[in-house]
Amino acid sequence: MALVFPFPVLSSLIVLPLLAAAALFFIKGDGLVRKFTLAASLLEIVLALPLTAFRMGADFQFVERLSWVPQWGLQYYLAVDGISILMVWLTLATLPLCVLCSWTGIAKRTKEFHFCLLVMTSACIGVFTAMDLVLFYVFWEAMLIPMYLLIAVWGGDQRRYASIKFFLYTLAGSTLLLVAIVAFRIEGGTFSIPELMQRTFGFRFQILCFLAMALAFAIKVPMFPFHTWLPAAHVQAPAAGSVILAAILLKMGTYGFLRFCLPLTPAASEYFAPMMIVVSVASILYGGAVALGQSDIKKLVAYSSVGHMGFVTLGIFLFNQRGVEGALFQMLNHGVVTGGLFMMIGAVYERSHSREIKKILGLGKYMPAFMFFWGLFSLASFGFPATNGFVGEILVFVGAFQHSLLVGLLLVPGALLSTAYMFRVGLKLAWGQPSAAKEWSDLSPREWLFLVVPAVMVFYIGLAPSLFFQMITPSVDKLLADYDQRRVAVLDHVPANALAGLAGAVAPATKN
């Protein structure tokens, strides 16, 4: 049975950032704006404390359901389960860290900058909690504008190109997603995601809807070859923008695969799984290989995200428990580790005003505390044992070898590449020869504060992941059981020759 909490917890988490964003226009002084936003972000975490009562089960919990537009069947419908709860907590934790890491780096339009951070947080929480397709789409689109502004207004020299590319790519994918949403309403008779998960759709319908949704989600992840907007956006975005982009926005794509593609189009997911696995492996290898040759430290971490998110999409389309659990862990771990790395790059940029590795050689001689955190996040990034990255990566490896020996073996060079590029930059920062004497100070108390939080999570998840397993395993089990049942129910009604090629895949099939 779904857990219904007497207090609208999820609505409060969506509304509070919007109220705080509106209140900013009545506050004067950049310092007060920063303090107010930080206070609002901490209050947001306090309001989320009831989520700690999340029961270890597969049902949707903290359900809020009201009729929105009854004539169209629209509902204000919110809930969380084991697939979304970790993403909600990750979003809540990211906001105060973004405020802290941009405390001194944003000197112009400070009020508008923090307005964008708050609106972005509200939209992201809405995406991970919406249980109505239209409501989901509203939040999905809502996050596009503040992210565009973060890049276009507070970005680097090529911010206009990067922001427009980000906007056009994601808008194109969103249009296809909207087409799929309308199709589900016509075919399924409802916008309710839990109700649609109980429907069984015909094979031809699933194929078309999967293609529309998968392209939208692949752009958001982003998967190779739809990744080209990501390095440009990361490099030009301010530090806080890169943190939100890496920690939260990329997860919306993989969350979409888990929430929509597998439950609503299981037969099509099975049909296209080989293609998705190939593209995922290509993302892992391509992202690692390109990252290895980068001279811009921010672009290096951006390309590493392409590889790391490839592990996530691979785990999802292995359709086994270890693979999907590994994907969920990697979604969380990538947010923690890569978010930490981008915050550190922002701290270095404030001192050096450069992202070129050759201009920050030997940084460790002046900033030993910085190098400690960089080394820790680097180890977690390539999955060193006892770090959080190891938990997710080893699960995906196990799932890959359970699926196919070939797929498992193809992951090995991907893991080696991630080790190579992180070691390469780490060695240059720690023992490289500076071109001239520097006057860089080590980490300030504020920087210690926003780096200690992800560092603690690196060790906590790496050494004691049992709590996270308890939260996600029941939902993963239910997801895979429902997927298998509905996949078989549809494919049993599809003629064998219809599965021989893509032309046969779009032939009419019986709808149960």
Side-chain angles (χ1 to χ4, degrees), residues 31 82 88 104 122 177 191 272 329 337 342 380 461 504:
V88 172
T104 59
S122 177
L177 179 61
F191 287 116
F272 286 109
F329 266 99
V337 173
F342 276 122
I461 300 174

Side-chain angles (χ1 to χ4, degrees), residues 278-295:
V278 169
V279 174
S280 298
V281 172
S283 297
I284 295 170
L285 298 178
Y286 174 84
V290 177
L292 188 59
Q294 295 304 311
S295 59

Side-chain angles (χ1 to χ4, degrees), residues 137 140-141 143-144 169-179 216 219-220:
Y137 188 76
W140 178 276
E141 289 291 88
M143 66 86 204
L144 181 61
Y169 263 77
T170 52
L171 184 63
S174 298
T175 303
L176 293 173
L177 179 61
L178 180 61
V179 172
I219 291 173
K220 187 74 73 176

Side-chain angles (χ1 to χ4, degrees), residues 126-420:
V127 166
F128 294 127
T129 58
M131 290 292 114
D132 180 274
L133 283 174
V134 173
L135 187 62
F136 172 88
Y137 188 76
V138 168
F139 288 124
W140 178 276
E141 289 291 88
M143 66 86 204
L144 181 61
I145 301 301
M147 190 67 233
Y148 168 81
L149 292 175
L150 286 174
I151 301 172
V153 178
W154 296 275
D157 295 337
Q158 299 180 11
R159 57 185 179 272
R160 178 171 295 183
Y161 165 77
S163 59
I164 292 176
K165 192 171 186 178
F166 162 78
F167 187 88
L168 292 179
Y169 263 77
T170 52
L171 184 63
S174 298
T175 303
L176 293 173
L177 179 61
L178 180 61
V179 172
I181 288 173
V182 173
F184 278 117
R185 174 62 176 87
I186 295 172
E187 192 78 3
T190 180
F191 287 116
S192 170
I193 297 172
E195 291 179 26
L196 288 171
M197 291 167 64
Q198 304 304 315
R199 307 279 200 272
T200 303
F201 300 101
F203 190 44
R204 179 177 180 272
F205 178 82
Q206 288 193 31
I207 289 289
L208 297 174
C209 286
F210 176 90
L211 289 173
M213 294 189 299
L215 186 56
F217 299 144
I219 291 173
K220 187 74 73 176
V221 170
M223 300 179 72
F224 175 85
F226 308 107
H227 66 285
T228 56
W229 65 267
L230 181 65
H234 267 314
V235 169
Q236 297 304 315
S242 292
V243 172
I244 292 180
L245 190 59
I248 310 300
L249 262 65
L250 304 190
K251 312 309 179 296
M252 291 182 179
T254 49
Y255 173 78
F257 282 122
L258 288 167
R259 179 64 75 210
F260 297 100
C261 290
L262 267 63
L264 303 184
T265 59
S269 298
E270 167 84 3
Y271 181 83
F272 286 109
M275 179 189 72
M276 298 301 294
I277 290 174
V278 169
V279 174
S280 298
V281 172
S283 297
I284 295 170
L285 298 178
Y286 174 84
V290 177
L292 188 59
Q294 295 304 311
S295 59
D296 184 316
I297 191 170
K298 205 172 188 184
K299 190 173 287 187
L300 181 149
V301 178
Y303 275 108
S304 76
S305 292
V306 177
H308 289 309
M309 295 307 292
F311 274 94
V312 178
T313 52
L314 175 65
I316 291 171
F317 285 93
L318 294 174
F319 303 130
N320 56 45
Q321 184 181 24
R322 294 306 176 209
V324 176
E325 286 179 344
L328 283 169
F329 266 99
Q330 281 295 86
M331 288 166 66
L332 175 63
N333 295 337
H334 178 266
V336 171
V337 173
T338 308
L341 289 173
F342 276 122
M343 287 190 289
M344 298 188 74
I345 293 171
V348 170
Y349 186 79
E350 290 181 9
R351 292 164 170 80
S352 66
H353 305 291
S354 176
R355 296 184 300 268
E356 291 295 320
I357 297 174
K358 65 181 180 181
K359 293 185 178 181
I360 54 176
L361 294 176
L363 175 147
K365 299 177 181 179
Y366 307 95
M367 305 174 65
F370 176 94
M371 283 309 305
F372 165 76
F373 285 106
W374 184 271
L376 174 62
F377 294 141
S378 296
L379 292 174
S381 180
F382 61 76
F384 192 79
T387 67
N388 60 341
F390 176 77
V391 179
E393 195 165 301
I394 195 65
L395 286 171
V396 174
F397 262 92
V398 171
F401 277 106
Q402 287 179 347
H403 178 84
S404 165
L405 176 62
L406 177 61
V407 174
L409 291 175
L410 287 174
L411 293 186
V412 175
L416 293 176
L417 283 170
S418 65
T419 305

